[in-house]
């Protein structure tokens, strides 16, 4: 069972938002770092995001939103695996697939 889909608390989300804002806005302000951040924003949003808008987007996230997105993308999803070398310790596909599903019974 994917715990992100069921057990995220408001306190955990608030802590994560504080850490994200700290990482985004207290980063080194070198030209290289600024260009890298702008590149990430252009790839993700198609444009540069002003800091005020980024703060609003971060503040808009709550525990219910995290649960909804985690449930949509992480539960009951088909998985793919790859391995190289001896496979004697690798779980079977069925066991991996079962770990992504929700316990319904």
């Amino acid at each position: 069972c994917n715990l992100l889909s069921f057990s995220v608390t408001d306190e955990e989300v608030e802590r994560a938002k504080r850490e994200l804002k700290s990482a985004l806005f207290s980063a080194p302000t070198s030209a290289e770092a600024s260009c890298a951040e702008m590149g990430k924003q252009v790839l993700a949003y198609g444009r540069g995001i002003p800091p005020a808008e980024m703060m609003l987007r971060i503040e808009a996230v709550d525990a219910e939103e995290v649960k909804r997105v985690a449930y949509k993308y992480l539960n009951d999803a088909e998985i793919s695996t790859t391995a190289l070398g001896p496979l004697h310790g690798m779980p079977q596909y069925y066991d991996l697939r079962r770990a992504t599903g929700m316990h319904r019974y």
Side-chain angles (χ1 to χ4, degrees):
C1 173
N2 180 342
L3 294 178
L4 259 178
S5 301
F6 302 103
S7 66
V8 174
T9 65
D10 289 324
E11 294 80 24
E12 290 171 322
V13 172
E14 290 303 318
R15 181 174 43 88
K17 291 190 320 189
R18 279 192 308 271
E19 290 177 15
L20 177 58
K21 287 187 277 190
S22 174
L24 286 175
F25 298 113
S26 66
T29 56
S30 69
E32 182 180 353
S34 297
C35 288
E37 185 60 34
M38 180 64 71
K40 288 181 205 175
Q41 292 174 4
V42 169
L43 288 173
Y45 302 106
R47 63 186 176 89
I49 304 294
E53 182 181 345
M54 186 62 76
M55 291 291 280
L56 290 173
R57 287 175 177 258
I58 293 169
E59 284 302 319
V61 175
D62 62 0
E64 290 304 314
E65 180 73 3
V66 172
K67 290 177 190 178
R68 184 189 66 75
V69 171
Y71 184 80
K72 180 178 180 180
Y73 291 105
L74 301 177
N75 268 331
D76 278 347
E78 289 296 327
I79 61 169
S80 62
T81 61
T82 185
L84 178 65
L87 302 179
H88 62 272
M90 185 171 174
Q92 295 294 315
Y93 173 81
Y94 174 77
D95 296 327
L96 294 170
R97 176 67 177 93
R98 188 176 51 170
T100 66
M102 187 172 83
H103 300 288
R104 294 190 173 121
Y105 306 105

